[in-house]
Amino acid sequence: MIVRAAFCLLMALASSAQQGAKPSSAPAGAFQISGTLVDSTNDQPLAHARVAVAPVTERTAMTTIVTADDGRFVFPGLAAGKYTLTAQRRGYLTQSFNQHEQFSSSIVVGEGHESRDLVFRLSPEAVISGTVTDEQGEAVAEAQVLLFKVGGNGDTGVHIANRNVTNDEGAYRFGHLLPGKYLVAVSGKPWYAQSALAQTTGRVLSRINNTTATTTFSGDASREVTDESSPLDVAYPITFYPGAVDAAAAEQISLSRGDKAVADVSLQPVPALHFRVNVDAAVQQANVSLQSRIFDTVISLPTESHGVDRGKVTLSGVAPGHYTLRLNDYSSGQQRTLSEREVDVSGNGDLLSSQIQPLVPLTASVQIEPGVTAQGQIVVWLYDKKSGESFAERLNAQGAAEFSGGVPPGNYEISIRNASGAFLKSITSAEVKPVGRMLPIKGPGAVKIALVLAAGQARITGVALKDDKPFAGAMVLLVPADPAHNQVLFRRDQSDTDGTFTLADVVPGKYTLLALENGWDLEWTKPAVLKPFLPQGEVVTVLANGKQEFKLKVQQGAAPAPQP
């Protein structure tokens, strides 16, 4: 079942009894959950750890105990039902029983179900820490450190795992890490950096470092952008551990359970660049921002944008590289993005307006059929997997989501938020041809799409069987008929100790239902990977408001990972 207990566990553990205390009162009953908490790397018992149990129907109603010297735990007096089982110990991950990603197996208690003498394997946390220094070996404070994980959630892509900022000593730390492969990237600014352009054109008016602000330009801005530079006019390029400025040369950090890795990064300055962007004469308050896409994550760069003068906005403090440039207008009192494009910055100069790619205005009108219940304002959500960008707009009084600022050209997956039990029944447009849930938006003209939102998400339940016996820990996967263009329609669960599973909020349509042993490391989002398993799956036609139940034969997904 989906793990929702981590936060509740932390709250319950904070107020739980001291070591050796008896569990708090549990529902009256004749059953129990018992077992031994062990280190997953060596099966040694873990004493004095906190273990908590709660009914899956009331996850905040936790009973917490402390394991004995031999790692044993017992929760007596339980009523029949399903329970979550979670554990926490210093130096270990907070986990639920048999956890994989955000899923775990609930413990089934009652006649005919075995809930005694469980072996609960808790994994020691892995850690990556390090220090960011400059070219003189001095600490770089307030540098942005990004941690990326390779693979997970069905693909082999590189995804953001965490963010941190270095302290006054240049140190950072990422704890509570799962086994896997990681990458570290650092973005920072030399403390002594001073733009030569700013020295000659006036004071710096707008600094962009994850936030933006603008004022009126002052000073002599008539000076042309040249290649003249100052020894202090420098910038740090984005740097990957152990010191590469090219993502392809970044070194992966492989962690097993309990590993402690050190990843120090030294930032080396390069001459900073500055250039100007032409703006429309009607725009009086504008700035230019640069963003960099690192794998699947977009970050803002610590650059300096100077106000509008003679139809131009100036950007300085830029290291050479490939960026996304945004021209933003503040004339109305609110930020409005006028244009966006990808640029390769390699020298000083002017960037002409004709080189800038305009955003595509988009309007999504939504027809809401009877039975749809809104939870707050309904939101239309667009996500471009390639760029990692997402855009969201609420419906207005006319039942439309106006992306008036526009969106960059791209291939977007569309979904709806804040509409309980509802699903997108149809997507139509005169300007683009939707493919499944994907919208290929190219521009330059405005795009209008019409969405029909209907009530009736369905529910699928069943049991996963291996050798005709209930199997716990299987990955249950509901695959849409066209998986390449309907990623948002996938549903997953993990079978409980009695083999049962539940897939909720299923959109009506055609699917194949699979149960896979050791399927968690598969690239299950890719059709080619799924292809060998589909013939042995259960073909399902899901109807609106339907409730269906299945018995699934568990397939071998992948060989079990070797124990470290």
Side-chain angles (χ1 to χ4, degrees):
M1 292 295 178
I2 296 177
V3 176
R4 300 176 182 171
F7 175 76
C8 298
L9 172 62
L10 292 175
M11 297 298 291
L13 296 179
S15 60
S16 64
Q18 298 299 315
Q19 174 180 327
K22 295 181 180 179
S24 58
S25 58
F31 305 103
Q32 70 172 233
I33 293 175
S34 65
T36 304
L37 187 70
V38 301
D39 185 308
S40 65
T41 64
N42 54 27
D43 282 345
Q44 291 300 305
L46 295 177
H48 318 312
R50 300 189 185 278
V51 182
V53 70
V56 296
T57 55
E58 194 177 359
R59 294 174 185 264
T60 58
M62 283 194 166
T63 300
T64 305
I65 64 173
V66 176
T67 57
D69 290 343
D70 60 357
R72 291 283 297 173
F73 59 87
V74 180
F75 294 94
L78 300 181
K82 282 188 177 183
Y83 294 83
T84 63
L85 187 64
T86 51
Q88 182 190 52
R89 190 175 191 266
R90 185 178 180 83
Y92 288 77
L93 298 172
T94 297
Q95 288 179 236
S96 293
F97 184 74
N98 199 17
Q99 183 170 339
H100 300 92
E101 298 173 5
Q102 71 269 36
F103 299 91
S104 66
S105 294
S106 296
I107 312 300
V108 181
V109 173
E111 293 291 343
H113 297 288
E114 186 52 64
S115 58
R116 298 169 181 256
D117 298 324
L118 302 174
V119 177
F120 192 159
R121 291 181 169 85
L122 198 64
S123 294
E125 68 167 343
V127 175
I128 294 177
S129 62
T131 302
V132 179
T133 55
D134 62 16
E135 67 277 15
Q136 301 297 326
E138 299 293 332
V140 178
E142 298 183 2
Q144 183 177 184
V145 186
L146 304 178
L147 180 69
F148 296 89
K149 191 173 188 298
V150 181
N153 288 318
D155 62 39
T156 56
V158 180
H159 308 287
I160 186 70
N162 208 341
R163 300 170 184 257
N164 209 333
V165 176
T166 57
N167 61 19
D168 290 344
E169 297 178 346
Y172 72 91
R173 184 181 188 275
F174 296 108
H176 304 289
L177 301 180
L178 294 167
K181 295 180 179 179
Y182 293 87
L183 298 164
V184 172
V186 179
S187 172
K189 181 175 181 177
W191 64 269
Y192 55 84
Q194 190 171 2
S195 167
L197 184 63
Q199 295 176 50
T200 58
T201 61
R203 59 188 176 88
V204 174
L205 304 173
S206 175
R207 178 161 296 179
I208 302 173
N209 187 357
N210 299 323
T211 59
T212 58
T214 58
T215 62
T216 305
F217 190 84
S218 64
D220 177 13
S222 62
R223 180 177 178 274
E224 293 298 321
V225 177
T226 70
D227 288 327
E228 296 178 11
S229 62
S230 160
L232 301 181
D233 191 6
V234 294
Y236 289 140
I238 294 172
T239 305
F240 301 85
Y241 172 78
V245 295
D246 183 355
E251 183 176 308
Q252 293 185 1
I253 303 168
S254 295
L255 295 180
S256 297
R257 286 173 287 189
D259 281 354
K260 305 291 190 291
V262 175
D264 295 333
V265 179
S266 175
L267 303 181
Q268 300 298 317
V270 297
L273 305 176
H274 39 80
F275 57 88
R276 288 176 172 153
V277 179
N278 291 353
V279 298
D280 189 275
V283 178
Q284 297 300 314
Q285 296 186 52
N287 73 9
V288 176
S289 62
L290 280 188
Q291 295 179 318
S292 180
R293 185 170 190 266
I294 309 176
F295 306 117
D296 69 340
T297 301
V298 177
I299 67 168
S300 296
L301 298 176
T303 56
E304 295 172 354
S305 180
H306 306 260
V308 178
D309 180 74
R310 303 185 184 185
K312 294 181 180 180
V313 175
T314 305
L315 193 69
S316 60
V318 182
H322 183 83
Y323 305 108
T324 297
L325 180 149
R326 283 185 175 176
L327 179 61
N328 307 304
D329 176 25
Y330 291 85
S331 300
S332 64
Q334 295 182 341
Q335 177 177 319
R336 181 170 66 97
T337 301
L338 299 176
S339 60
E340 176 178 298
R341 66 157 297 182
E342 293 190 10
V343 294
D344 286 299
V345 179
S346 58
N348 301 325
D350 283 4
L351 187 65
L352 302 177
S353 57
S354 60
Q355 297 174 281
I356 299 175
Q357 183 178 29
L359 303 181
V360 181
L362 175 67
T363 301
S365 61
V366 181
Q367 177 186 339
I368 301 176
E369 293 190 347
V372 175
T373 301
Q375 296 176 324
Q377 285 185 282
I378 293 177
V379 173
V380 178
W381 189 281
L382 301 178
Y383 173 67
D384 187 338
K385 185 175 182 179
K386 181 179 180 181
S387 70
E389 289 190 291
S390 60
F391 300 88
E393 287 290 346
R394 295 182 175 89
L395 295 191
N396 57 27
Q398 290 72 45
E402 297 276 359
F403 295 80
S404 55
V407 298
N411 198 26
Y412 292 92
E413 186 174 55
I414 186 168
S415 59
I416 294 289
R417 307 291 173 89
N418 297 344
S420 178
F423 66 95
L424 274 177
K425 185 177 180 180
S426 66
I427 307 170
T428 56
S429 173
E431 292 80 23
V432 299
K433 183 179 180 181
V435 181
R437 287 292 189 93
M438 306 303 295
L439 291 173
I441 297 177
K442 299 179 180 179
V447 172
K448 296 182 179 179
I449 57 175
L451 310 176
V452 177
L453 192 59
Q457 287 189 347
R459 184 183 184 89
I460 292 176
T461 60
V463 59
L465 302 171
K466 183 178 181 180
D467 299 327
D468 295 324
K469 296 180 180 180
F471 184 82
M475 183 177 79
V476 179
L477 182 65
L478 187 66
V479 184
D482 182 8
H485 300 103
N486 290 284
Q487 295 281 306
V488 73
L489 299 184
F490 276 90
R491 296 292 183 270
R492 282 196 301 164
D493 195 17
Q494 178 170 317
S495 59
D496 293 331
T497 57
D498 62 348
T500 58
F501 62 86
T502 300
L503 299 170
D505 303 326
V506 179
V507 173
K510 293 184 177 180
Y511 299 86
T512 301
L513 186 60
L514 306 172
L516 302 176
E517 180 180 3
N518 301 314
W520 303 98
D521 292 330
L522 291 175
E523 298 174 70
W524 52 265
T525 59
K526 295 186 177 181
V529 174
L530 290 171
K531 187 175 180 180
F533 304 104
L534 295 177
Q536 287 75 46
E538 184 84 25
V539 177
V540 179
T541 298
V542 178
L543 303 177
N545 294 312
K547 293 182 179 180
Q548 298 166 277
E549 188 169 352
F550 298 91
K551 291 183 178 181
L552 295 180
K553 181 179 179 180
V554 176
Q555 303 182 55
Q556 181 67 43
Q563 297 296 316

